[in-house]
Amino acid sequence: MHRIKPSFTAIIILLFLAVPVFAQQKSSNYNALWKIADTLIFSKGLPKSALAQVNTIYALAKKEKQEAQAIKALVYRVSLQEMVEEDADTKSLRLLENEINTSSEPSKSILYSILAFKYRVYLEQSRWKNNRTNTKNIPKNDFLTWTNDDFYTKIDGLYKLSLQNKALLQHTSLDAYNVLLSRGNTRYLRPTMYDLLAHAALDFYSAEKTNVTKPANAFEMKDENLLAPAATFARLRITSSDTASLLYKALLIYQDLLAFHLNDPQPEALIDADIARTGFVNAWGGMPQKDQLYEKALTAIFDQYPNSPAATEAAYKIASLHVSYNIWDDYNGNDKADTSDLTFAAALCKKVIKQPEESPGKADCYNLLKMIEKKSLHLTTERVNIPGQPFRTLVGYRNFSNLYLRVIAIHAGFEYKLRDDHPAAYRKKLTQLAPVRSWKQSLPGANDYHRHSTEIKIDPLPTGEYILMAASNPGFATDSGLLSMQYFYVS
């Protein structure tokens, strides 16, 4: 389930969790004032003193009409009040509401979004209190008496208000609001205030909702055109008798976002929003062959913008679709059920990694490729075998083609004596023992990234206790390859 995990820092930047951006403060005076506040909070643990400092910053910002600084101070005040005061939730919500009443645009829209997030945090933290039956003719002026439906209605209304001045927000630069934004390297994905507020709203509309009353005619996403290319989707007529549906409202916001960016000279914001839209439809859609449609949509994005850093995330998601995540188990004894196309996924990730520019999608592909290429080794041998007769061991392996084996004779109790050592020291001692037999074994079909298993013959041995060791490198180095072992008896 999609959960909000609030912390002091998260609340401070709660509006812009969707994308990190570079923060620049033009005023050195405010920088110095905030440094004092942060020191009191994070270094000295003095929230009351910090609150006094923040109140000073807030008064100064209001006097100098520095709206961004005032909003930052307001959000700090909300967080600090909750640390030091009783009934802080009620006071914080009232504080934000009063600020909205005295603010002008675009600050008012920002505050609507912040207030919506604040209600979301409260709902998540107190959901167990809100499982009340919906009733009529009950005053709704006290949120402490609200049901889950009441909270969702309130939050929905606030996000709607945050986007109502769409034209203004779409022409509002973020430069004046850099003090509100956290550091990062993907500022280009949120070029306007509208982008920030729209994605903040989508974070709510796209999340799973529990304990919410649904009508009999609940909106369902079954139209295949919801996964059509961006230009087609932006013009699509989406209708529903369930106009209160949060999924329905999310689609309308995605339409506005994509239409806004369709003709951008730089397509990164469009690509990012389009990838999010296709993922949202895939998560909640009910159309036939949804997975194939989703991959087709992602492929169209990557093919159209093969050199865009933003489009690398589409490539990563395509590669992920071709990976069955049970391959991450070192060995589960069953390699026949894996139908992943790991060769395709690996090739696509390698293509992305070659791109010169860094991007989140490139980093994701790098990590996915490392997982696909990860080696694994597992031995299964009968605990007791017959003297003078060959026997078998089952080898489970992935991503290497030559196996090196040793049989080591040991004395009674040796296994338990060595196991008292630290695991690393234990394994190292075992590799230093002289073998009674050693050999190299070629393994079939090891170049497709899948798990495989095969049985290997062990030549006859006399009565005794033994260790069978297997490694992916001839030196049996524990720090540069795989090492597996089995204790067994010949008796």
Side-chain angles (χ1 to χ4, degrees):
M1 184 175 71
H2 185 99
R3 289 188 177 275
I4 303 167
K5 299 180 179 179
S7 63
F8 185 87
T9 305
I11 296 298
I12 291 172
I13 57 170
L14 52 84
L15 176 57
F16 306 111
L17 292 176
V19 60
V21 292
F22 287 110
Q24 298 175 344
Q25 297 183 7
K26 296 181 179 180
S27 172
S28 59
N29 290 334
Y30 283 103
N31 283 339
L33 293 171
W34 282 117
K35 185 176 181 179
I36 294 172
D38 287 339
T39 299
L40 290 169
I41 297 167
F42 300 111
S43 298
K44 297 184 177 181
L46 299 172
K48 288 186 177 180
S49 300
L51 181 58
Q53 174 70 7
V54 168
N55 286 336
T56 299
I57 298 173
Y58 175 79
L60 179 63
K62 296 295 284 187
K63 179 180 178 180
E64 296 182 351
K65 300 186 185 304
Q66 295 288 327
E67 293 186 3
Q69 294 286 359
I71 292 174
K72 180 177 179 179
L74 185 70
V75 178
Y76 264 73
R77 285 177 66 186
V78 167
S79 297
L80 289 168
Q81 283 180 174
E82 293 174 357
M83 297 171 67
V84 301
E85 297 183 5
E86 297 291 335
D87 196 23
D89 287 316
T90 300
K91 292 178 181 178
S92 297
L93 293 169
R94 297 294 178 259
L95 179 65
L96 290 169
E97 289 171 348
N98 290 337
E99 190 75 15
I100 288 172
N101 293 333
T102 61
S103 297
S104 57
E105 292 292 0
S107 295
K108 185 185 289 287
S109 293
I110 297 172
L111 290 166
Y112 277 131
S113 188
I114 291 175
L115 182 58
F117 188 90
K118 176 60 183 169
Y119 273 113
R120 290 177 63 191
V121 171
Y122 180 83
L123 173 62
E124 184 69 20
Q125 292 177 334
S126 59
R127 189 181 298 277
W128 62 274
K129 300 178 183 179
N130 308 319
N131 294 325
R132 305 182 182 94
T133 302
N134 290 316
T135 56
K136 296 180 179 180
N137 302 321
I138 298 295
K140 297 294 185 180
N141 57 335
D142 184 0
F143 71 90
L144 295 176
T145 66
W146 287 359
T147 65
N148 287 316
D149 286 357
D150 294 327
F151 275 102
Y152 285 129
T153 299
K154 179 66 174 181
I155 295 167
D156 171 40
L158 289 169
Y159 279 126
K160 182 178 180 180
L161 288 169
S162 75
L163 298 174
Q164 66 179 349
N165 290 308
K166 181 170 62 175
L168 170 68
L169 298 172
Q170 288 176 344
H171 291 88
T172 299
S173 170
L174 296 178
D175 292 343
Y177 293 90
N178 281 336
V179 296
L180 295 173
L181 311 180
S182 62
R183 293 185 180 276
N185 58 2
T186 50
R187 169 70 173 263
Y188 60 92
L189 299 179
R190 305 287 186 270
T192 72
M193 185 60 69
Y194 176 73
D195 290 279
L196 284 174
L197 297 180
H199 281 281
L202 286 169
D203 184 66
F204 166 68
Y205 291 120
S206 302
E208 180 183 4
K209 307 298 184 295
T210 58
N211 300 322
V212 179
T213 304
K214 293 184 179 181
N217 61 335
F219 175 68
E220 295 181 309
M221 293 190 287
K222 294 186 176 181
D223 186 352
E224 293 185 0
N225 287 317
L226 296 176
L227 285 169
T232 302
F233 171 79
R235 296 190 300 268
L236 187 65
R237 185 170 179 266
I238 304 175
T239 61
S240 175
S241 56
D242 180 18
T243 55
S245 167
L246 301 184
L247 300 180
Y248 172 69
K249 293 177 181 182
L251 288 173
L252 299 183
I253 295 175
Y254 274 120
Q255 281 192 309
D256 284 342
L257 262 178
L258 295 178
F260 174 47
H261 289 297
L262 275 177
N263 298 315
D264 285 358
Q266 300 298 325
E268 281 73 21
L270 171 68
I271 295 169
D272 179 70
D274 202 21
I275 293 173
R277 182 262 307 189
T278 58
F280 167 71
V281 175
N282 182 61
W284 297 104
M287 61 282 293
Q289 298 182 322
K290 181 180 64 173
D291 292 344
Q292 293 89 330
L293 292 169
Y294 178 48
E295 182 174 355
K296 180 180 178 181
L298 291 172
T299 302
I301 294 171
F302 186 63
D303 288 348
Q304 186 174 358
Y305 306 101
N307 299 315
S308 169
T312 58
E313 189 64 20
Y316 163 70
K317 292 181 181 297
I318 295 167
S320 296
L321 291 174
H322 287 263
V323 174
S324 173
Y325 286 89
N326 65 350
I327 69 168
W328 308 145
D329 297 333
D330 283 342
Y331 184 71
N332 64 6
N334 178 16
D335 57 320
K336 63 183 180 181
D338 191 354
T339 58
S340 305
D341 192 349
L342 299 178
T343 302
F344 174 87
L348 184 56
C349 285
K350 290 176 182 178
K351 180 179 179 180
V352 170
I353 292 170
K354 289 180 180 179
Q355 291 198 4
E357 293 187 61
E358 297 302 318
S359 64
K362 180 177 177 179
D364 288 338
C365 279
Y366 177 85
N367 292 328
L368 182 61
L369 181 61
K370 288 298 181 183
M371 296 178 75
I372 293 173
E373 292 178 336
K374 181 182 177 182
K375 296 178 181 180
S376 65
L377 171 62
H378 181 85
L379 297 179
T380 304
T381 309
E382 290 287 350
R383 185 70 171 173
V384 180
N385 297 278
I386 300 174
Q389 294 188 18
F391 57 97
R392 297 172 296 180
T393 186
L394 179 67
V395 180
Y397 61 96
R398 188 160 72 90
N399 288 331
F400 64 97
S401 57
N402 290 314
L403 185 66
Y404 301 87
L405 299 108
R406 293 176 179 176
V407 175
I408 302 168
I410 59 175
H411 57 76
F414 179 88
E415 173 184 357
Y416 303 100
K417 180 180 178 181
L418 277 189
R419 283 188 174 177
D420 291 335
D421 292 335
H422 185 276
Y426 167 66
R427 292 165 68 89
K428 185 176 181 180
K429 287 182 180 179
L430 290 179
T431 62
Q432 294 172 347
L433 297 175
V436 297
R437 188 174 299 157
S438 62
W439 72 102
K440 175 183 175 182
Q441 179 76 46
S442 296
L443 300 172
N447 58 353
D448 60 359
Y449 305 105
H450 284 271
R451 266 196 315 264
H452 295 277
S453 61
T454 188
E455 288 187 325
I456 292 177
K457 176 187 174 184
I458 309 296
D459 289 335
L461 292 167
T463 300
E465 294 185 28
Y466 297 90
I467 299 174
L468 173 63
M469 296 182 63
S472 60
N473 63 84
F476 285 74
T478 57
D479 57 350
S480 61
L482 297 170
L483 182 64
S484 182
M485 61 192 71
Q486 292 269 284
Y487 283 86
F488 67 93
Y489 299 89
V490 175
S491 175

